[in-house]
Amino acid sequence: MKAGASAPGKVILFGEHFVVKGIPALAMAVNLRAEALVEEDQKGCYRVESSVEKGELCGDDPRPEPGAQAYAYLARRAGLKGASIALSSRIPPGAGLGSSAATSAAVAGASLFLVGRRGRELKEEARQLAMEGERVFHGKPSGVDVTVAVEGGLVAYRLPTDYRVLPPPRLEGGVLLLADTGVPRSTREAVMRVLERLERRKPVMETVYEAASVLTREAEKALTEGDLAAVGELMDIAQGLLSSIGVSFPQAEALIHEARRRGALGAKITGAGLGGSVIVLVEEDRAPVVEQALLAKGAVRVLRLSPEPRGLVVEGPL
Ligand code: MEV
C-alpha cells in the first residue's frame, strides 16, 4: 500500500532562540510545501530518494545520520516493516524555512497513515515523530518548526508543548519578503552559542529574554489587528534582541540596513541565524524596489511569502 503527504515550510516571525528557554514564539506556515510518497514493503529496509539525496536504513541499524537516513528512521519508528520513500520539496534547504521539519512531518504523516492512524490522532503522532527527526538534525529542537508544519496557519508556540493556532496574520497592504544570504548555517551550533552566552552573562541576558517575551505578546496583537507599522517596528526591535544574543552576522546586517534604507517597515533575521535568511516587511508599492535592492546587495534569492492555512495533508491509500 502507498500513501502520500505534504506539509508546509515555516517562517519564524518572532521569538526564535528565546523559544528554546520557554518564551513564546510566533511562526507562520508559508506557501511552499514538501511532499513524501511512502510505499510499504516487508523487506526490512527503508530507502529514501529525492532529486538531491539518497539514503537507506536496514534492520536494526543504530541511530541515523542527519539527512535521508533520518527520514528512513521515521518510517521505521512509525511501525512499517520496510518502505520506499520518495521525497520532493519546493522549500529551499538551509534558508531558515524549516525544510527538514516539513519533510519529516510529511514522511511521518504518510507512514502513520499506512499503519492505520487517522484524523487528530495521526496529526498528534506525526508531530511527535517528526520531532524525533528534528532531533537527529538539530540536537534539541523546541518543536516550533514541526508544530507549524503539522498545523499550518499562524502558531503561537511555547515550551513544553503549549501552542495555539491563531487566525492568519493580517498583512493587507504589506508584503513579507524572505531574503536568503546564502551563508550556510547550523541550527545546532547557533543554539549552543546562544545558550553559552546566556550562562556566561546571566543577569543581563535574563532581561533580554524578558524583553523578548513582552515583544512576542505585542507582536501577536499587532499581527491580529493588521497594524503593519507596529509589526515592522517590532521586527526591528526583535533584530536588536537577536543581535544581543549573538546570532546576527554581517551579510544579514547588510541586507537589513539596505531594506530599511529603501523604506521597509521592518527587517530581522529569521530562524537560527549565523547564516540563513532575513525577513523584511514592506508596503506593497515599495516591494519591487526593496526586492531589487536586496538582490543587488548580495541576497542569493528573494521570495514573497504568503500565509499557508493548510498544515499536514495526507492522501491514501494511493
Ligand atoms: C530554528 O528554526 C529556531 C530556533 O529557535 C531553534 C528551535 O526552536 O528549535 C533557533
Side-chain angles (χ1 to χ4, degrees), residues 10 12 16-17 19-20 141-142 144-145 187 191 271-272:
K10 66 88 200 31
I12 298 187
E16 50 274 270
H17 285 290
V19 68
V20 172
S142 65
V144 61
D145 295 14
T187 300
V191 169

Side-chain angles (χ1 to χ4, degrees), residues 221-273:
K221 187 161 167 275
L223 282 164
T224 45
E225 286 172 357
D227 185 345
L228 287 190
V231 175
E233 189 170 24
L234 292 167
M235 284 168 68
D236 285 345
I237 298 172
Q239 174 58 21
L241 300 186
L242 289 168
S243 190
S244 335
I245 61 173
V247 294
S248 198
F249 58 106
Q251 293 85 345
E253 296 277 345
L255 295 181
I256 287 167
H257 287 292
E258 182 64 5
R260 290 179 188 153
R261 198 170 76 80
R262 300 288 182 151
L265 296 166
K268 67 181 275 288
I269 284 169
T270 184

Side-chain angles (χ1 to χ4, degrees), residues 167-192:
R170 292 191 41 215
L171 298 173
E172 299 100 43
V175 174
L176 189 66
L177 300 174
L178 178 117
D180 186 353
T181 63
V183 178
R185 107 218 111 106
S186 155
T187 300
R188 186 192 285 262
E189 217 173 275
V191 169
M192 254 169 49

